[in-house]
Amino acid sequence: MPAATASAAVPGGATQRFVLEQSIQADWWALFESPRLNALIEKAFAANPNVEAAQAALRAAQENVYAQRGFFFPTIQAGYTPSRTKLAGNLGGNSPGIQGNGSVISTFQGTPASEGGTAPFNGPVIYNFHTAQLTVGFVPDVFGANRRQVESLEAQAKAQQFQLEATRITLASNIVAAAIQDALLRQQIATTTAMIDANVAMVELASRQLKAGYASRLDLAVQENALAQARQLLPPLRKQFEQNRDLMRTLIGAVQDEEVPAFELGALRLPEELPLTLPSQLVEQRPDVRAAEALLQAASAEVGVARAARLPQFSIDATLGGAASHIGQMFWNSGKFFDLALGITQPLFAGGTLLHRERAATEALRQAAAQYRSTVITAFQNVADTLHAIQTDAEALQAAAEVTDTAKTALDLTQRQHQRGYLDRLALIGAQQTYRQAQLNLAQAQATRLGDTAALFQALGGGWWDRASNEPTVAQTTADRANP
């Protein structure tokens, strides 16, 4: 790459120099020195729904990590079960309604069987029973299934964090692009309007000359055609302008009747020093590359989880409690009880389910590895494309400035020769249209150079790491809240 770009003596035509390994500031858009642009981006960070959704997704991923870490500890549960039971008295045998000598304990009428009488019915019995117990369960992570699951969830949370950074960078880049487009369309509309006004004046002049006999009907028709062509350019520009304003409102999370600031190409300063990052650093800086790396790590951990599911599973359970018919007697020595159990389970046959799940996880790992390589290659392409665009943009702006200068000179000469009668009206109209078109192309070249400069900051990662080193990230804030 050349050390510097071409230059032109127009706004936004300064020479840009590439500085190897220069740090990228987190608020790189401030290099354009536009307070309106800075305020718009800050407002978007606070109100854009996509940023809010990415923050919520990150917090949810962090909470899933904390939840999975809980499986490293035993579970403790306390239970209390009061019951009231009514037993039928005609169950026979030594049911609660019959004494050992056969007499019936009942409030019903009857003569005891020992006295020669019969007892037609045994009396029902109603009694209370209370049980309280403490249960402790623990699943030892013998083969690392839980460790790998935690690793997978942590990697997914890391991917969500980088997704949040990518969302912020993309949002800032889109707002910068919309602001540049707003400035470009304003200048194009102003140039086109000036072109229309000039043609209206020329039509009026040709009409007066026709009436005075100094111009033909053909001269008037040619001038009217030039006016119609100029007017035809204006509606599409106004359409693009309003749609771009709608886009700006959407990016900042505002409704469509909210006012947004206006921008001018001359008010946006072109950064003269551009960072240039080594490929090894680029892999560490791009949020999409880091997110793909985290997803690769998560896929690797899922292979370990699937493999551990085919190995023996261990569990330890213990129960301690008391039971009695009266609540105050539950923890007497006669009412206490305990239970201690060790469980070992080895899957023997599951129809190939566990084996194929492990194979599926292995293939998912290969997929994540391929996607990671694709993301890295695309990142290199983005940077290379942007660097080439910046070089050619400078050359295009230089050429557009030269064309505009020569077109202006040609228009001035044509106007003087037309006034002296050496050139006809067609030559004058052609010179005017050439100059106005050169102005439009110049504005487009200025805007393109500004836009590709912003694209370079985005392609190099946007400097999120500098902001993260000074400000707590959403992930850090969530972690502090969960672990005070």
Side-chain angles (χ1 to χ4, degrees), residues 129-151:
F129 198 75
H130 303 268
T131 303
Q133 63 183 21
L134 185 68
T135 302
V136 180
F138 181 64
V139 179
D141 194 23
V142 178
F143 297 105
N146 193 56
R147 290 195 301 273
R148 300 308 302 273
Q149 187 65 53
V150 170
E151 179 186 351

Side-chain angles (χ1 to χ4, degrees), residues 428-451:
L428 178 60
I429 293 174
Q432 290 175 335
Q433 291 178 337
T434 300
Y435 175 62
R436 298 299 183 186
Q437 187 61 48
Q439 287 183 310
L440 294 176
N441 293 339
L442 178 62
Q444 181 65 61
Q446 292 172 315
T448 301
R449 197 175 187 200
L450 289 168

Side-chain angles (χ1 to χ4, degrees), residues 97-109:
I98 303 177
Q99 288 185 338
N101 58 3
S103 62
V104 179
I105 303 175
S106 174
T107 58
F108 293 105
Q109 294 181 354

Side-chain angles (χ1 to χ4, degrees), residues 4 71 200 208 216 265 282 288 313 366 374 431 441 444 452:
F71 288 105
V200 168
R208 290 195 299 269
S216 66
L265 285 177
L282 180 63
D288 57 341
Q313 310 296 315
R366 293 192 179 98
S374 176
N441 293 339
Q444 181 65 61
D452 284 334

Side-chain angles (χ1 to χ4, degrees), residues 43-126:
K43 184 175 182 179
F45 284 164
N48 186 274
N50 292 333
V51 174
E52 183 179 355
Q55 291 173 338
L58 175 57
R59 290 192 293 267
Q62 284 287 345
E63 296 299 335
N64 287 332
V65 172
Y66 304 143
Q68 190 66 34
R69 287 176 181 172
F71 288 105
F72 286 121
F73 303 95
T75 59
I76 302 176
Q77 295 180 345
Y80 168 63
T81 307
S83 64
R84 182 174 177 84
T85 306
K86 178 179 180 180
L87 296 179
N90 58 354
L91 298 179
N94 292 325
S95 66
I98 303 177
Q99 288 185 338
N101 58 3
S103 62
V104 179
I105 303 175
S106 174
T107 58
F108 293 105
Q109 294 181 354
T111 303
S114 59
E115 299 178 5
T118 61
F121 298 105
N122 293 337
V125 175
I126 299 176

Side-chain angles (χ1 to χ4, degrees), residues 21 52 61 109 133 135 169 188 272 287 304 319 345 390 422-423 472 478:
E21 299 186 40
E52 183 179 355
Q109 294 181 354
Q133 63 183 21
T135 302
I169 295 170
Q188 288 178 331
E272 298 181 6
T319 303
T345 304
I390 288 175
Y422 296 118
L423 293 177
T478 307

